[in-house]
Amino acid sequence: MKIAVTSASGKLGSSIVKHLIKEVGKDNVVGIARTLEKATHLGIEIRKGDYNNQKDFDVALKNVDTVLLVSGMDEPQKRIQQHRNVIEAAKNNNIKKIVYTSIVGAEENNAFSPIVKANRQTEKDIQTSGLEWVIGRNGIYIEPDLEYLETYVQEGEIRNCAGTGKCTYTSREELGYAYAKMLIEDKHNRQIYNLVGTPITQNQLVEYINQVYNTNLIFNSVLVEEYATERKAALGDFMGTIIAGIYEGIRDGVNNVPSDFEKAAGRKHQSTLDMIKGFKIKR
């Protein structure tokens, strides 16, 4: 069985490839990347694939049985068509099964909602494609907070607009393991899974980080409008708005959802504390 992974050069795609190799061997995994050179380190066959070009995927998905579609990073309306290019190419190549990395979140009421809404449209496109399918709705990754730790230490705080809302953090490592199982095990077909961990507040996150890294951070909760202004100034309007919307969603409880991780992966999700410890060891 040949399994193709799109965006294989990205952090999530690379994690899924790594776990797939353990399950089915290098010869049965194909990586698809827009820039081939960025994925050669994976040690598998790499094929060209740009989400904007269906013809790329008409070629890249030849002789493939199952495809993992990693959600694109473009603007919402663009990514709907980009994903459709992959779905159509999968149908043209008689792919048996498509697995999609979607996201947890609300379709309305915060600045991140347009991204969620676009992902829900792709979920519908996949469900009506005629292919077998599995959809994972990813929680918020723990890694960006840990990669940003040096800045947090300089500022002495983790500052955002999440308030007392709870977030079910996951990690790319945990997701890679779950998606490998979802790709190779037919029992997951036609299921939608919330791939998330244990719900925690930002104060709890700070406590865990302080425990593992021996830091003295505090959590500083600010208004949504204030945080959005700060993030847009630092990251630009598009990304700043998205980041602020994510934390607004956490504040409003949209990321505090029941976990289906154990159903998908066949084991319990790591605790937040263990994810942080694992990240530190690998760094």
Side-chain angles (χ1 to χ4, degrees):
M1 180 173 69
K2 283 270 189 187
I3 302 173
V5 177
T6 71
S7 293
S9 59
K11 292 178 180 178
L12 178 58
S14 296
S15 177
I16 295 168
V17 166
K18 179 184 73 173
H19 286 286
L20 266 179
I21 289 170
K22 292 177 184 176
E23 297 284 350
V24 299
K26 286 186 175 184
D27 291 344
N28 294 310
V29 184
V30 174
I32 301 176
R34 185 171 58 183
T35 306
L36 300 179
E37 296 76 18
K38 291 183 178 180
T40 54
H41 67 280
L42 297 170
I44 57 172
E45 179 187 356
I46 304 297
R47 300 178 184 176
K48 167 80 171 172
D50 184 327
Y51 283 156
N52 293 301
N53 190 342
Q54 184 185 319
K55 291 180 180 179
D56 277 0
F57 283 91
D58 284 335
V59 175
L61 294 180
K62 287 189 182 302
N63 302 313
V64 166
D65 300 289
T66 300
V67 60
L68 186 287
L69 172 55
V70 175
S71 185
M73 296 296 291
D74 220 323
E75 295 174 14
Q77 288 309 307
K78 286 184 180 179
R79 71 169 70 184
I80 290 172
Q81 183 56 52
Q82 289 169 343
H83 296 161
R84 284 175 176 166
N85 289 340
V86 181
I87 296 166
E88 287 304 309
K91 290 162 65 175
N92 292 343
N93 278 282
N94 297 312
I95 297 287
K96 296 182 179 67
K97 175 175 170 178
I98 185 166
V99 180
Y100 176 52
T101 72
S102 190
I103 45 176
V104 168
E107 293 182 56
E108 306 289 345
N109 300 325
N110 68 62
F112 189 58
S113 293
I115 304 289
V116 177
K117 202 167 187 175
N119 278 39
R120 296 291 178 269
Q121 181 59 56
T122 295
E123 292 179 15
K124 292 173 187 173
D125 291 342
I126 288 170
Q127 289 170 306
T128 57
S129 67
L131 308 176
E132 283 295 347
W133 56 268
V134 191
I135 292 166
R137 290 181 176 172
N138 299 348
I140 303 295
Y141 303 157
I142 193 73
E143 290 94 342
D145 273 305
L146 304 178
E147 291 162 353
Y148 208 65
L149 186 58
E150 186 176 332
T151 299
Y152 289 152
V153 170
Q154 288 173 356
E155 296 174 350
E157 63 181 18
I158 289 181
R159 176 187 179 91
N160 60 55
C161 60
T164 58
K166 290 187 174 182
C167 181
T168 47
Y169 284 101
T170 187
S171 72
R172 297 184 186 101
E173 184 72 17
E174 289 293 88
L175 292 173
Y177 184 90
Y179 278 111
K181 297 294 185 182
M182 292 157 64
L183 284 159
I184 65 175
E185 296 175 353
D186 289 340
K187 67 182 180 181
H188 304 299
N189 290 359
R190 298 181 179 269
Q191 299 297 312
I192 299 176
Y193 292 132
N194 290 332
L195 300 179
V196 300
T198 305
I200 64 167
T201 64
Q202 294 297 292
N203 275 316
Q204 288 172 303
L205 175 64
V206 168
E207 287 176 15
Y208 292 147
I209 290 174
N210 285 341
Q211 180 179 332
V212 174
Y213 285 92
N214 196 30
T215 50
N216 294 293
L217 301 174
I218 62 168
F219 172 54
N220 184 3
S221 182
V222 298
L223 296 175
V224 172
E225 295 77 11
E226 182 181 352
Y227 188 63
T229 299
E230 292 174 5
R231 290 297 86 202
K232 285 189 279 190
L235 303 171
D237 283 352
F238 177 64
M239 189 55 66
T241 298
I242 287 174
I243 298 299
I246 288 173
Y247 285 103
E248 182 182 4
I250 294 172
R251 183 199 67 175
D252 294 341
V254 303
N255 292 89
N256 188 5
V257 297
S259 177
D260 302 310
F261 186 88
E262 191 168 355
K263 293 179 190 174
R267 66 160 172 80
K268 290 182 182 296
H269 195 287
Q270 277 193 319
S271 69
T272 309
L273 184 59
D274 284 341
M275 287 192 292
I276 295 171
K277 288 177 178 177
F279 181 89
K280 183 182 180 184
I281 290 169
K282 287 179 181 175
R283 295 287 276 195

